Amino acid sequence: MEKRLADMVAIASGRDHQPGLDCMRALLSARLKSMGADVSELAAAPRPAWITGNDLAENGSPTLVARRVKGRGVPTLLIAGHMDTVHDPVGDFQKLSRLDDMRATGPGAADMKGGLEVALTALEALEKHSPNVSWICLINADEEAGSFRSAAHLAQIAKECHAGFIVEPALPNGGLVVERPGSGQFMIDVVGRAAHSGRDFANGVSAVNALAHSIVNVAALSDVSRQRIVNIGPLQGGDATNIVADHARAWGNIRFSNDSEGAQLSGAIAAIASGDAQNLPRITVEMALNRPPKPCTEHVSFLANVALAVGHDMGLQLSTGKTGGVSDANLIQAAGVPCLDGLGVRGGNLHRTDEFIELDSLSERATLLALLLMRVSADRGANIFRAH
């Protein structure tokens, strides 16, 4: 597993690097086909033009879908992950390197190429030892950029499934994720009036100054005690120090615990819009609540309890918890499919150039996932999973 992980980590698939994503897709597709799965690709959808992030290509990369569906009467289980990372495809951080006997570092080693290795190894084990488990494996290429291009595919495939299992990294203590907040993206766009900063300063209207006031007001909406978070960055504005800036923009992200909080927070940010072509500065706001909250429902608790029982039988002391991060579990569960998340590897320093994986978690989590899928499939879930 470590050797296969090293091969994946060596493929630069961050920031919508198309050659790397194409190589990853081919590698994953070959392994899935070798299990007898029916593999297809779903074309990327358009996304809002104002969105910024890792996804820089005009058309985006396809979503990979592999089906090994056994027919009626057997629950179809969805295993989901992503092949993209946040890391610079031409930076110095490019390969898996051992830190010691227990850990290795590399771009996406934990988030989430380690998770993909866990998923594929578990599915290969099922094909050999429990071939009656019915599953669909979905791997997209833009999760780190918000899944705007693949969200419709996630919802579509979810309709074919009874439960979802997401191989995002485990919690710091190795725990499984049962609850996540909602998330949204926004952009504040400000138009002012350019002027020479020395000769005609009074006639200028600084878009940068107006943006700065807007940022302060929006940032004040954060309330960690209520799980309301507003984060700003990146920023753009001004062309030179001796020109009053006529245009400035800022992008941001919000997190919220429930739909009501999300509506209140997005409404408050939208309310900063003001002005028009005759009354400068003109401030406009773009907003997309792209990931609904993922609560811990009765069905999620059922999946978690099965996982905890499997862990107990393996001699593991697993726990469950919530995290401030979001994932594609938010979108899949919003489509009506209960999701258990955090089934990937143990590791840390995610999204940093010292990201690491605890290597013994590769086989541990693959075993956990394979047994979990077997037990959930055998349960048949007549009273747990949503009706089809």
Side-chain angles (χ1 to χ4, degrees):
M1 293 182 76
E2 182 182 352
K3 174 60 170 65
R4 291 194 295 260
L5 175 61
D7 292 341
M8 284 195 281
V9 169
I11 300 171
S13 58
R15 305 185 187 182
D16 207 59
H17 183 60
Q18 293 299 310
L21 289 171
D22 291 343
C23 188
M24 277 293 299
R25 193 176 300 103
L27 183 155
L28 298 168
S29 179
R31 284 184 70 180
L32 289 161
K33 287 179 179 178
S34 72
M35 303 176 209
D38 178 14
V39 178
S40 60
E41 295 181 5
L42 302 178
R47 64 169 196 165
W50 58 268
I51 294 289
T52 188
N54 290 343
D55 182 1
L56 302 177
E58 181 179 353
N59 296 319
S61 295
T63 294
L64 183 67
V65 180
R67 291 178 172 84
R68 193 75 166 130
V69 179
K70 309 300 181 180
R72 300 181 67 86
V74 179
T76 298
L77 308 180
L78 176 61
I79 300 90
H82 61 89
M83 68 183 81
D84 59 317
T85 76
V86 302
H87 297 283
D88 185 351
V90 296
D92 295 332
F93 194 45
Q94 294 291 341
K95 66 179 183 178
L96 190 72
S97 302
R98 280 277 191 135
L99 293 170
D100 50 44
D101 290 342
M102 302 298 294
R103 299 182 305 156
T105 182
D111 188 13
M112 62 180 302
K113 291 180 178 179
L116 295 180
E117 176 58 30
V118 163
L120 295 188
T121 299
L123 294 177
E124 287 164 346
L126 288 178
E127 187 60 29
K128 182 177 180 179
H129 298 290
S130 186
N132 291 326
V133 176
S134 181
W135 53 265
I136 297 176
C137 183
L138 183 152
I139 306 172
N140 62 356
D142 70 329
E143 192 275 343
E144 297 290 7
S147 300
F148 286 95
R149 297 190 186 276
S150 58
H153 301 323
L154 292 166
Q156 171 192 339
I157 300 301
K159 295 177 181 177
E160 304 177 37
C161 303
H162 296 80
F165 304 85
I166 318 301
V167 286
E168 288 284 352
L171 293 172
N173 65 354
L176 308 176
V177 178
V178 294
E179 182 178 348
R180 291 185 182 271
S183 176
Q185 313 289 336
F186 66 92
M187 180 186 73
I188 304 170
D189 188 273
V190 184
V191 175
R193 182 185 302 115
H196 190 289
S197 63
R199 299 183 60 168
D200 198 24
F201 180 77
N203 194 43
V205 177
S206 173
V208 166
N209 289 353
L211 178 62
H213 286 293
S214 297
I215 289 173
V216 170
N217 292 335
V218 166
L221 297 170
S222 289
D223 185 344
V224 176
S225 67
R226 295 172 59 184
Q227 296 182 295
R228 288 174 48 148
I229 294 174
V230 180
N231 185 63
I232 304 290
L235 310 174
Q236 288 181 357
D239 295 319
T241 59
N242 61 350
I243 304 173
V244 176
D246 65 348
H247 192 205
R249 294 192 290 184
W251 289 264
N253 173 260
I254 62 173
R255 304 291 166 107
F256 45 91
S257 59
N258 56 60
D259 291 331
S260 176
E261 285 281 356
Q264 292 178 33
L265 192 52
S266 60
I269 294 173
I272 71 169
S274 63
D276 53 37
Q278 286 72 43
N279 297 283
L280 300 177
R282 181 175 77 244
I283 302 173
T284 58
V285 176
E286 300 281 1
M287 175 73 67
L289 299 183
N290 59 308
R291 284 189 169 123
K294 177 200 168 333
C296 182
T297 66
E298 176 188 359
H299 295 177
V300 173
S301 293
F302 166 77
L303 297 176
N305 287 335
V306 176
L308 293 176
V310 171
H312 178 269
D313 291 344
M314 292 174 60
L316 303 176
Q317 293 184 335
L318 292 179
S319 62
T320 61
K322 60 182 180 180
T323 176
V326 294
S327 79
D328 285 332
N330 294 66
L331 294 168
I332 295 169
Q333 191 160 309
V337 177
C339 284
L340 185 61
D341 204 344
L343 286 160
V345 297
R346 291 180 277 108
N349 299 342
L350 308 182
H351 294 192
R352 291 169 29 173
T353 54
D354 56 353
E355 177 179 347
F356 70 89
I357 176 176
E358 296 182 21
L359 291 167
D360 62 342
S361 68
L362 284 167
S363 58
E364 171 194 298
R365 305 299 274 209
T367 304
L368 173 67
L369 179 59
L371 293 172
L372 172 60
L373 296 175
M374 283 179 60
R375 292 193 187 179
V376 172
S377 177
D379 184 271
R380 296 296 185 268
N383 299 316
I384 294 297
F385 303 122
R386 69 181 181 84
H388 281 256

